[in-house]
Amino acid sequence: MLECRDIVLHREGWEFAADLDLRPGGRIAVIGPSGAGKTTLLSLIAGFLTPDRGRIAWEGRDLTAIPPGKRPLSVLFQDQNLFPHLDVASNVGLGLRPDLRLSRDQRDRVARAIADVGLEGFDKRLPASLSGGQQSRVALARVLLRARPILLLDEPFAALGPALKSEMLDLLDRIGSETGALMLMVTHDPQDALDFAHDTIVVQDGRCHAPQPTRDLLRDPPPALRDYLGRAFG
Amino acid sequence: MAARLFRLGAGPAIAAGLALLILGTLAAVAWQAEGLSGLSSWDWRAVRFTIWQAALSATISALLAVPVARALARRRFWGRGLLVTLLGAPFILPVIVAIMGLVAVFGRQGAINDALRALSLPEISVYGWQGVILAHVFFNLPLSVRLVLQGWQAIPSERFRLADSLGFAPRDISRHLERPMLQAVLPGAWLAVFLVCLTSFTVALALGGGPRATTVELAIYQAFRFDFDLSKAALLGLVQIAICVAALLATRWIAVPASFGAGRDDRVTWRGPAGWRQGTDALAIALAAAFLLWPIGAVTLRGLPSIPDLPPEVWTAAIRSVVMAVISALLTLAVALVMALHLARRPSGWVEGAGMLPLVASPLVLGTGLFILLRDVAGAQALALPVTVGVNAMMALPFALRALIPAARTMQQDYGRLAASLDMTGIARLRLLVLPRLARPVGFAGGLAAALAMGDLGVIALFSTDQPTLPLKLYQLMTSYRMADASAAAVLLMAISFALFWIFDRGGRLA
């Protein structure tokens, strides 16, 4: 269980609060207007922000004081998911060892992960020579290799076109099934939420509402969410 | 352990150590100094001269920079890019080499006096206050031109298009576009030169001296070296610090632009006016180029043929200097990198302030202070080289920080969270993220530091040493009138300084 217990964070006249229990292996969308605190929620769980009050725990273990890299999670950002000066194999290999001193066996696993996301033979390419979709695949290969029980996604596919995006969501779906990770995905597209997530957290004015089944939520949105969506879905 | 130190607070620790070292040195100077009554009228004259020559040098540089920068801004010609790049070269040109060049052109045997003699006109002298001003303008005119040129290029070209469409005459352009820009840019450019000239030592040592052309820095040297009057040297050191602090306080109101940087020059500017202004622009550029290139060309022509005949002790001095410069540059880089990385993660006023402290403490003041602190531990002979390396490393620090801090901030913004989420820390972060991302500014800063250390003739002159650096050896050759050897050594010193800068900078670009 991922617990966000009585979390409070103050930022220049703005307050963020969350109190959530998220089950392992769940798929949860995070939606809400921009500036409402979606990224803040992910940053708190990832450890980039430290709450002023409250605690974050995974399977009973308190994570609040643990640095981001030591937490049992992987993150995909909106952009800058790859180091531009490292080739594909190195960018993926960082998921196994942050100092890249990989054994032969580990290098084989890196190659398999790259092949697994459909990029066989791209090992030595630099990110700049890849398309946006291919770059996303490299980042996903790293997630696959890290195999952490929590995966945080901060609109990583927002810059991709609809076809590529659904391709990435399919790949993500497969990775989720393989690793059994709890996935938390920020999105501003209710269709993504419907396609991807059983449950959805609505974030509004710095408040996180408890996850509700996405289908019900979108079919009959509460007034505040209806203002944001413009219409009902489903 | 090292990785842990790196993560937890190497930045503040190093900054505190640096502040302690500099402020401790200054405290030693203050403790050694007697009351202000210890200053003679001669010393006060040095104070007045220091301020007066800095103000005059800054004013002349600023006034001459305006026509040159305007000509460069509104004309396009073959070699223009090269000329703009060359304007950055004096920053790493060893002062003593430029002095050799100026003596070659403006000295008694120089071309100018030859011409004057041929015309039966009175000769001019390159020694004395006019020589000090001449050398300062030589060094700082290019800097001023670059700063003013940046001002011109910062005017959006749309404004000039608008002016064109409104049928502005050059006079109207000047009133509506150029004068407001100059009012904004010139005070900063003036102050930048003024600050540099306040701590001028080598120029005053070689061309000045005597009652009418002694700077405070030179007076410190004389008190230390010839009178061996440490309390007098320390007192003058305090005066020098007071002057620098007062001048730096002025930067709170007037922003001083960075005094180096690649000559960004890719803007399309407006068509310059036709007619007689084309002639004056060409003249401004030609005169400025001649003023800058002629002395260097003259000393090169004079020195190049004699390089094979250089005595072996010059080569020994050259090797000694290269080793010292490289150590000094690596020291600067290590300290600057740790501080910049810390500042990129969390802005801290006092850490940044500690990095700028060397601007307050002149090299001679630091050298005097370190000697006072260490004289019971080791003799002047043993201290000369290590103290020189240390002081040079400190003096280059502000420039290295200015190059590294913005780059480190960008890196932290772009990749800090990704690296943190992948648990890249310590050495792995340094190797896989920091050095690859910051290679260019690291190479550039290292090049600056190495070239500055290579050409410096400051602290080393304080100590009577039988292990001279190349600049000191060159100065000794000069004062014993071995001009052929001195010219050859000057060419060698210039070549090594530029080569060191090039190797570091190039290394950073290729990495």
Side-chain angles (χ1 to χ4, degrees), chain B residues 241-508:
Chain B
I241 295 163
I243 295 174
C244 288
V245 169
L248 273 180
L249 285 181
T251 61
R252 291 168 63 109
W253 293 285
I254 305 171
V256 174
S259 51
F260 58 84
R264 271 196 314 279
D265 193 39
D266 42 16
R267 287 178 151 264
V268 185
T269 39
W270 81 110
R271 261 178 309 117
W276 59 272
R277 285 187 180 81
Q278 268 175 318
T280 52
D281 280 356
L283 190 67
I285 291 170
L287 281 178
F291 177 52
L292 298 174
L293 295 176
W294 192 2
I296 299 307
V299 72
T300 307
L301 281 183
R302 223 188 243 196
L304 211 50
S306 313
I307 285 187
D309 308 326
L310 274 175
E313 67 261 28
V314 172
W315 292 104
T316 319
I319 292 166
R320 186 179 296 126
S321 270
V322 170
V323 173
M324 289 169 67
V326 170
I327 296 175
S328 184
L330 294 179
L331 264 176
T332 302
L333 279 184
V335 172
L337 198 56
V338 172
M339 289 177 70
L341 289 178
H342 175 77
L343 286 170
R345 286 184 198 207
R346 54 189 81 106
S348 154
W350 78 265
V351 171
E352 204 162 343
M356 294 300 152
L357 267 183
L359 292 177
V360 182
S362 75
L364 285 222
V365 175
L366 282 180
T368 307
L370 286 175
F371 177 77
I372 292 170
L373 284 176
L374 299 172
R375 63 184 156 164
D376 295 331
V377 185
Q381 196 57 249
L383 285 178
L385 300 190
V387 166
T388 303
V389 168
V391 170
N392 280 334
M394 278 193 262
M395 297 316 291
L397 193 59
F399 305 110
L401 281 175
R402 261 183 232 169
L404 284 176
I405 289 175
R409 287 214 168 108
T410 309
M411 179 196 77
Q412 181 65 23
Q413 264 164 25
D414 288 354
Y415 304 106
R417 295 203 309 173
L418 176 57
S421 78
L422 293 171
D423 199 25
M424 291 166 73
T425 53
I427 302 299
R429 189 174 195 274
L430 184 71
R431 186 167 57 88
L432 295 172
L433 173 62
V434 174
L435 290 182
R437 295 311 302 166
L438 298 187
R440 271 164 176 255
V442 162
F444 178 72
L448 280 187
L452 288 177
M454 184 71 207
D456 178 61
L457 172 60
V459 188
I460 188 75
L462 273 183
F463 302 95
S464 58
T465 173
D466 51 13
Q467 294 182 303
T469 59
L470 187 54
L472 182 60
K473 188 72 211 164
L474 166 52
Y475 177 65
Q476 288 166 352
L477 290 170
M478 215 176 138
T479 46
S480 50
Y481 297 104
R482 290 165 62 186
M483 292 317 262
D485 283 345
S487 301
V491 176
L492 187 64
L493 177 57
M494 177 165 59
I496 297 176
S497 295
F498 285 145
L500 277 176
F501 174 78
W502 187 84
I503 291 169
F504 271 89
D505 189 48
R506 187 86 189 144

Side-chain angles (χ1 to χ4, degrees), chain B residues 6 82-83 149 153 203 205 219 229 265 270 348 351 387 421 458 468:
Chain B
F6 204 82
L82 184 68
L83 190 60
L149 183 59
Q153 286 169 338
V203 167
L205 174 71
D229 186 346
D265 193 39
W270 81 110
S348 154
V351 171
V387 166
S421 78

